[in-house]
Amino acid sequence: MAEPRRRVPHRREKIVEAAVEVIRETGPASLTHRAAAARAGVPLGSTTYYFADLDELFEAAVRTVAERNVARLRAWARSLPERADLCAGLADFLVLLTTEHRQTSVLAYELYGIALRRPALRAASTSWDDMLSKVFALRVDAITARALTVMFEGLLHQALVSPRAPDRADFEEPLRRLLGD
C-alpha cells in the first residue's frame, strides 16, 4: 500500500525563495517551475503541487519581495526622528536603495514590470506603492503623499538605470522642490 503524501515543512517557502533567487540572478524570463525546483533542491512535482501555474509562483515571489521592501521602508520610517528633515531623510534612503540595496531594488522593479503583462500580479506589485503613500501620509497630506510616492519611485527607477552612481543631491533637490522646502 502506498504511503500517504507527506508535507515537508517550509517546502513552499523554500520554493518561493528559490524563485526569487532565480529572478535576481538571471531575470524574470528564466523563472520556470523546473528552474525553481532545481534551485530549491526539490522534485519538480513539488513546485506544481504548491503553484498550479507560473503566475502563482510569480505572485508568491512578488509578494515576498514586496513584503521585504515594505519591512525595510517601515524600519526606515521608524528610524526617522519626528522632526527630521524629510527631504534629507528620503534622499539618504534613496541612496541606500541604489547602493547597499541595489540588487533588491532592481529585483523589485523587474517583478513590478511583470505586472504590466500579467494582471494577476498587479495587486501584489502595487503593495509597495500603497505602503510608501501610507508612510509618507504620516508626514504630509494624502495628495502630497501620493505625489511624493510617484516622485520617489521615478527617482529610484532613474537612478537604477543611470550609468552613473547617484548622489544625495540628485534626490534631495527635486524632493525639496516638490515639498516646498
Side-chain angles (χ1 to χ4, degrees):
M1 179 158 37
E3 217 174 285
R5 185 177 237 170
R6 193 174 56 121
R7 178 165 153 64
V8 177
H10 308 293
R11 183 169 278 183
R12 183 182 190 283
E13 294 81 7
K14 188 175 182 179
I15 294 167
V16 172
E17 190 57 43
V20 169
E21 290 171 11
V22 167
I23 296 165
R24 178 182 293 123
E25 290 175 8
T26 55
S30 63
L31 181 62
T32 62
H33 281 278
R34 188 173 306 284
R39 183 59 182 253
V42 301
L44 177 59
S46 292
T47 62
T48 56
Y49 175 78
Y50 290 104
F51 305 99
D53 59 28
L54 206 51
D55 275 353
E56 284 186 17
L57 185 54
F58 267 117
E59 182 178 4
V62 168
R63 287 194 186 284
T64 296
V65 171
E67 287 168 8
R68 288 176 186 163
N69 285 341
V70 165
R72 184 174 293 116
L73 174 66
R74 286 181 175 148
W76 169 82
R78 281 191 304 272
S79 74
L80 197 62
E82 190 175 320
R83 296 201 182 274
D85 179 339
L86 182 59
C87 294
L90 285 170
D92 289 340
F93 188 49
L94 282 161
V95 168
L96 183 70
L97 292 175
T98 59
T99 56
E100 187 177 325
H101 298 291
R102 179 180 177 74
Q103 190 177 33
T104 302
S105 296
V106 168
L107 171 66
Y109 273 107
E110 286 180 319
L111 290 170
Y112 192 83
I114 291 169
L116 293 169
R117 300 241 182 231
R118 295 178 184 232
L121 303 179
R122 290 183 182 156
S125 292
T126 59
S127 62
W128 166 253
D129 297 337
D130 295 340
M131 183 53 65
L132 269 176
S133 291
K134 287 176 184 171
V135 167
F136 295 157
L138 298 172
R139 304 277 179 149
V140 296
D141 66 85
I143 302 281
T144 304
R146 182 70 189 128
L148 188 54
T149 298
V150 171
M151 178 177 269
F152 183 93
E153 290 288 359
L155 289 169
L156 179 56
H157 186 264
Q158 285 180 341
L160 291 170
V161 299
S162 176
R164 71 173 188 78
D167 61 34
R168 189 175 193 230
D170 293 327
F171 302 126
E172 191 171 353
E173 291 170 12
L175 289 166
R176 289 202 185 284
R177 179 67 59 98
L178 175 69
L179 296 176
D181 287 352

